[in-house]
Amino acid sequence: MIKIVLFMVLCSGIANNQCKVISTPQDLFEDYSSCIVYGYSYSHKLMTGFDPEWTNSMETYTKFSCKKDEII
């Protein structure tokens, strides 16, 4: 069975900081569209939940992608 998997990371614009994998409440989707919409929505929820001072100091941002994967 083919599913779409959401991969999301939290990154910093500060030099030498590596992106860290973010676990999400949902990571398997039936189609690409529902995955990408969820990724944007969850990213917005996550970013607005952070303290703005911390976000500004760390230059925080998210990145995500939705990839096909065969689920056994």
Side-chain angles (χ1 to χ4, degrees), residues 28-39:
L28 290 178
F29 299 86
E30 295 297 322
D31 59 28
Y32 180 84
S33 178
S34 59
C35 179
I36 206 77
V37 167
Y38 182 87

Side-chain angles (χ1 to χ4, degrees), residues 2-72:
I2 300 294
K3 293 283 186 174
I4 306 297
V5 181
L6 173 65
F7 298 97
M8 185 175 278
V9 293
L10 182 64
C11 303
S12 170
I14 305 299
N16 297 322
N17 282 344
Q18 295 183 343
C19 296
K20 306 291 182 192
V21 174
I22 301 171
S23 61
T24 58
Q26 182 177 353
D27 59 2
L28 290 178
F29 299 86
E30 295 297 322
D31 59 28
Y32 180 84
S33 178
S34 59
C35 179
I36 206 77
V37 167
Y38 182 87
Y40 280 112
S41 175
Y42 189 73
S43 180
H44 179 263
K45 180 180 177 181
L46 189 69
M47 294 304 299
T48 58
F50 291 147
D51 175 41
E53 188 174 311
W54 180 77
T55 301
N56 288 330
S57 69
M58 296 301 292
E59 299 177 11
T60 308
Y61 61 97
T62 60
K63 296 192 314 187
F64 66 92
S65 62
C66 297
K67 304 285 184 188
K68 289 182 185 178
D69 195 15
E70 187 166 351
I71 306 301
I72 299 174

